[in-house]
Amino acid sequence: SSTLSELQNRLRVVFPADFREISRFYSGGFLGGISHHAIEIDTPADSILDETLRLRSFIGLDDSFIFLAEPPESIILMRTGPEPYVVWCDAVEVNQVLSGNFINEPLMWNTYADFFEYMLKTEEEDRLQ
């Protein structure tokens, strides 16, 4: 989509194929008990673009990462390359995403599709309770 292309251009990244595919039907919002940032560029708040740029300037986050969500006291990031992955870590440890020197072990997925599947299962489990 043109929105996804513009988002990639503005963030200077290339999204993994699974992220591009899933974004065709899921563009952010509430899933798995947390609010995920929106793909839309002109969203007034909580967009991947605005939140990623904010985090990059605030902590010097490596440009290969994008900011997917901010659950209470934690952060979910996706590395877009060269080896994509998703990490859900404590907010105070976000600077450790490249080194991997976490005090509290983060949740990690090798692909965005694996992370998305985890969120769907969490959503399903929440609905059954």
Side-chain angles (χ1 to χ4, degrees):
S1 81
S2 62
T3 298
L4 208 56
S5 296
E6 185 178 346
L7 184 58
Q8 289 182 113
N9 289 338
R10 298 209 21 210
L11 291 175
R12 299 179 313 277
V13 299
V14 175
F15 294 129
D18 59 348
F19 182 85
R20 292 192 307 266
E21 184 66 28
I22 291 168
S23 72
R24 292 174 60 201
F25 60 87
Y26 177 74
S27 62
F30 207 70
L31 179 65
I34 61 172
S35 178
H36 297 251
H37 297 313
I39 289 174
E40 286 80 22
I41 291 184
D42 53 6
T43 302
D46 290 335
S47 71
I48 286 176
L49 176 65
D50 292 343
E51 295 302 315
T52 298
L53 293 176
R54 180 182 64 82
L55 197 60
R56 283 180 181 175
S57 69
F58 183 67
I59 66 163
L61 182 67
D62 184 276
D63 283 357
S64 66
F65 287 93
I66 64 165
F67 190 30
L68 297 177
E70 192 172 9
E73 300 178 12
S74 61
I75 289 180
I76 302 173
L77 301 167
M78 179 176 68
R79 185 173 190 192
T80 57
E83 296 175 10
Y85 60 84
V86 176
V87 59
W88 185 344
C89 64
D90 288 352
V92 296
E93 294 193 90
V94 70
N95 286 344
Q96 304 305 320
V97 294
L98 281 176
S99 71
N101 294 328
F102 295 100
I103 294 169
N104 299 304
E105 194 65 31
L107 294 174
M108 295 189 77
W109 297 267
N110 291 327
T111 66
Y112 181 77
D114 290 346
F115 166 72
F116 190 75
E117 184 178 341
Y118 173 85
M119 288 284 99
L120 290 174
K121 286 180 180 175
T122 302
E123 180 79 14
E124 190 176 315
E125 290 166 4
D126 289 349
R127 288 184 181 178
L128 295 174
Q129 292 179 356

